[in-house]
Amino acid sequence: MSQRKITIKEFAGKLGVSTATVSRAFNTRGRISAKTRQYILNKATELGYCANVHAKNLSRQDTSTIGFFYPVINSEEPDYFIDEIMFGLNNRLQKVAKTLQVNPFPEFCSEETLNLCRQKILSGSTGGVIIVAGSKGSKVLFETAKSAAVPYVIIGHLLGIENNAVQFDNEHGASLAGNYFRKINRSHPAYIGGHLDSAKKQGFINGLKVSEDQIFITHCGYGFRAGADAFQKVIKSMPEVDCVLCANDPIAMGFISAAQAHNIKIPEDIAVIGFDDIRPSRFFVPGLSSVSLRLSMIGMQAVEMILKNMNGEPCPTQHIECDLVLRESS
Amino acid sequence: MSQRKITIKEFAGKLGVSTATVSRAFNTRGRISAKTRQYILNKATELGYCANVHAKNLSRQDTSTIGFFYPVINSEEPDYFIDEIMFGLNNRLQKVAKTLQVNPFPEFCSEETLNLCRQKILSGSTGGVIIVAGSKGSKVLFETAKSAAVPYVIIGHLLGIENNAVQFDNEHGASLAGNYFRKINRSHPAYIGGHLDSAKKQGFINGLKVSEDQIFITHCGYGFRAGADAFQKVIKSMPEVDCVLCANDPIAMGFISAAQAHNIKIPEDIAVIGFDDIRPSRFFVPGLSSVSLRLSMIGMQAVEMILKNMNGEPCPTQHIECDLVLRESS
DNA sequence: TAATCTTGCGTAAACGTTTACGCAATATAT
DNA sequence: ATATATTGCGTAAACGTTTACGCAAGATTA
C-alpha cells in the first residue's frame, strides 16, 4: 500500500548502472547505447521507477507546466468565455505534453490574493504564463511576468502591450452584424452594450452605415436578466425597433425571452444578434445568431505563441478574425 | 529585463543572515524572532526574493498542487458537466492556497496518453488527485494513485471503490422526477436514456410507481441531436405520451425543440425534465426543468475530502443529494 | 600497426530549498 | 548568585535529479 517511491539511486543500484545512465535512458540528451536504454526502460516499468518531477525541474531549471491566469467576473457561476478558451488551451497543450495550471483570481481582488498569483509566476512554478486581460489584476500579473522575464502571452487588450498578445477585433465583429442588418433591410437598430464596449458600438454603426443618433443605445450588465430588463427600455423608447445587437449572448437571450413574452416574433419582428458565440447559443430556441470570437481557436493560438516565446522566438501580436454565425434569431 | 532570479543564498548573503533564517522567516516552523522575520520579509519584497518552488517541493517532499483528471467525452466542445465541477474545485482550492492542475484525457485513449497521466501522478507533481469516473482511463488512474499511495478522490461511481469517493444518487434523482410527474397526474411516461443509465431508469419507475412495461423507453447518445431524433421514436411509438425524463439536459433540449417544431406544446402537451441541471438549462426557452446534481458542490466536497486524505484522515464516501429544479418545461 | 576519433558509461558537482542539530546568549527559577 | 530552560540563529546534510568532465574500450583512419 504505502509504497515509498523508488529513487533513481536505488533504481540504478538494482540494475548495476549509474544514475547518469538511468537519466540518459529517459532523456534524449547524452550518449547511451540503444541496448542499455531499452533494458533500463523495461526495468523501469517493471520496478515502477518514475523520475521525481521536482528534482528534475530543479536540476533542469525548467518546467513543462503552463500557468493560465484569468479574472473571475462572476463568482456565482462558471464563465463560458473562459471555459471555451481553456478548452482550446488544453486541446493544444496535450499534443505537446505540457500541463495546464489554472489560476482564477477575483476581478476585484485583494493585494494578498494577487500576491499569491505573483508568487506562482515568480517561484518558477510555470515555464510560461497565459493571462486573460480584463481587470487590474491582469495588468499586475503581466508586469510581474515581464519584469521577471517569464514568457507570457496576453489574451485580449491591455494598455501598453505591443507584443505577445492574441487579440480579437470587437469593432470589426460588430460591423459584421451591422452589415448584415443593413443587407436584410432592417432600419431601426438598437444596441445593448455592457459597461464600456465602445468598440462594439462603433463597429455596429460603421456596419449599418448610419449616424449614431439613428440608433437606440442602452447599457446594462452582462447577464440574462440584464438583457430582459433592457428589452423594456428598448421597446418603450423605440417601438419600431427591428434589429438588435447585444454585447454578449446571455444579454441577447434575456432580450429574446422578454420579447417573446410580449408576443413579439423573433426574428420576424426583431432580428437579434449576440456576441461571443458561447456554446449555449446553439441550444437556444430560436438558435441565437452571434458574432463568434472563435475562443477555442484563441486558446490554441495562445499556446502556439507561448511555445515560441519559451523558445526565445519573438511573437508579434496575433489578431483572430471574427465571424458572424447566423442562426434562427436574425 | 532578463533578470535571473535571486536565490536564497544570495539573498541571505546580502542581508548578512543564514539561509536557514531566511527560510524560517517565510515558513511557520522553526524559531525566529519577530524582528528578524519582519526585516527579512521587508527586504524580500524590496529585493524581489521569492523561493523557488521546485527546490521547496523537493526538500519538503510535498507540493500544494492538486491534480484533476477527467475523461473527455466529446472532443469538439467544452464539457459543462466538467466545467461546473471545476468551478467548485477552484472556488474551494483558492481558499486553501492550493493550485489546480488540469488533466483531460480522451475517453478512449491510447496507452501512451494514459501513461502521460500516470506519470503525472507517479512523479510527485501533485500532492493529491481528483479523478472523474466514467471511462476505462479513470479506473487505471485510480489504481495508479492507490498503489502509489497518492491521496485520491473519485467523483462518481467506479467499480471496486469503497472509500474516498463523492457520489451522486442518479436513481434517487430520477425518482424525484417520477414522483413529480405522478403528482401532476401525468400517466403516459417515456424515458430517454444514454447507453447505460439503468439507475436513472429504475429510479424513474420507482418514482412513477408503475411497472416497467407502462413506460416507453429508448436509448440514444448524449447530445442535442440525439434528443431530437429520440422525439421521433417516442411520438411514433407512443403518441399519447405526456411526460418525459431525459438522461441529460442536451437530450431534453433536443427533444423539446423537435416537439415544438411539431406544434406540440411544452409543458401542456408533454412535460419534460432533463438531468444534471447544466447552466444553459436556465437560458433555454422554456426554462428546462432538471434533476440537479449540484455539480459545483460536488467539486467543493471533493476538495474537502482530498484535503483530509492528504492529512491522513480517513474519508468515507460522500453522497450528494440530488434536487429537482422545476422550471417552465414541466 | 599506430594514431586518432567515437562511443558508452561512471564520478561528482550542481540546482535551491528545508531542517536536524548544536551552541551561544538571554530569560527564568531557585 | 547559580542552575536550568528557552530563544535565536548558523552549519551542513539532506531532497532526487541532470550533466560537465574524464576515462577506458572499441571503431576508424592512415
Side-chain angles (χ1 to χ4, degrees), chain A residues 3 5 51 53-54 75 77 80 83 87 94 99-102 104 120 122-124 147 257 279-280 283-284, chain B residues 3 5 51 53-54 75 77 80 83 87 94 99-102 104 120 122-124 147 257 279-280 283-285:
Chain A
Q3 327 264 15
K5 283 222 39 231
V53 75
H54 302 125
S75 63
E77 1 185 307
Y80 290 128
D83 286 343
F87 181 74
Q94 275 199 323
T99 305
L100 193 69
Q101 177 199 42
V102 316
K120 285 181 190 169
L122 295 173
S123 68
S147 80
S257 290
R279 210 55 65 150
F283 296 152
F284 195 73
Chain B
Q3 326 263 16
K5 285 222 38 234
V53 75
H54 301 126
S75 63
E77 359 186 308
Y80 290 128
D83 286 342
F87 182 74
Q94 275 198 324
T99 304
L100 193 68
Q101 176 199 61
V102 316
K120 284 180 191 168
L122 294 173
S123 68
S147 79
S257 290
R279 210 55 65 150
F283 296 152
F284 195 73
V285 180

Side-chain angles (χ1 to χ4, degrees), chain B residues 11 35 89 132 144 167 198 214 219 276:
Chain B
F11 179 61
K35 210 168 68 172
L89 292 179
V132 176
T144 303
Q167 304 182 328
S198 56
Q214 293 179 262
H219 293 272
D276 293 352

Side-chain angles (χ1 to χ4, degrees), chain A residues 1-5 48 50-55 57-58 61-63 65 70 72 74-80 83-84 86-87 90-91 94 97-106 113 116 118-126 146-149 224 250 253 256-257 260 278-280 282-285, chain B residues 1-5 48 50-55 57-58 61-63 65 70 72 74-80 83-84 86-87 90-91 94 97-106 113 116 118-126 146-149 152 224 250 253 257 260 278-280 282-285:
Chain A
M1 177 71 167
S2 193
Q3 327 264 15
R4 199 177 59 81
K5 283 222 39 231
C50 177
N52 178 298
V53 75
H54 302 125
N57 288 341
L58 175 59
Q61 295 279 80
D62 170 20
T63 169
T65 100
Y70 59 90
V72 175
N74 177 345
S75 63
E76 303 298 317
E77 1 185 307
D79 183 331
Y80 290 128
D83 286 343
E84 198 90 23
M86 193 143 53
F87 181 74
N90 271 320
N91 208 291
Q94 275 199 323
K98 302 266 180 209
T99 305
L100 193 69
Q101 177 199 42
V102 316
N103 306 95
F105 56 91
T113 310
L116 247 54
R118 299 183 70 233
Q119 282 178 26
K120 285 181 190 169
I121 298 179
L122 295 173
S123 68
S125 80
T126 58
K146 183 165 185 179
S147 80
F224 185 85
M253 295 184 197
I256 291 178
S257 290
Q260 287 177 329
I278 62 178
R279 210 55 65 150
R282 65 194 66 175
F283 296 152
F284 195 73
V285 179
Chain B
M1 177 72 168
S2 193
Q3 326 263 16
R4 199 178 58 82
K5 285 222 38 234
C50 177
N52 178 298
V53 75
H54 301 126
N57 288 341
L58 174 59
Q61 295 279 79
D62 171 22
T63 169
T65 99
Y70 58 90
V72 175
N74 177 346
S75 63
E76 303 298 318
E77 359 186 308
D79 183 332
Y80 290 128
D83 286 342
E84 198 89 24
M86 194 144 52
F87 182 74
N90 270 320
N91 208 290
Q94 275 198 324
K98 302 266 179 207
T99 304
L100 193 68
Q101 176 199 61
V102 316
N103 306 96
F105 56 91
T113 310
L116 247 56
R118 300 184 69 231
Q119 283 178 26
K120 284 180 191 168
I121 298 179
L122 294 173
S123 68
S125 81
T126 57
K146 183 165 184 180
S147 79
Y152 63 90
F224 185 84
M253 295 184 196
S257 290
Q260 287 177 327
I278 62 177
R279 210 55 65 150
R282 65 194 66 175
F283 296 152
F284 195 73
V285 180

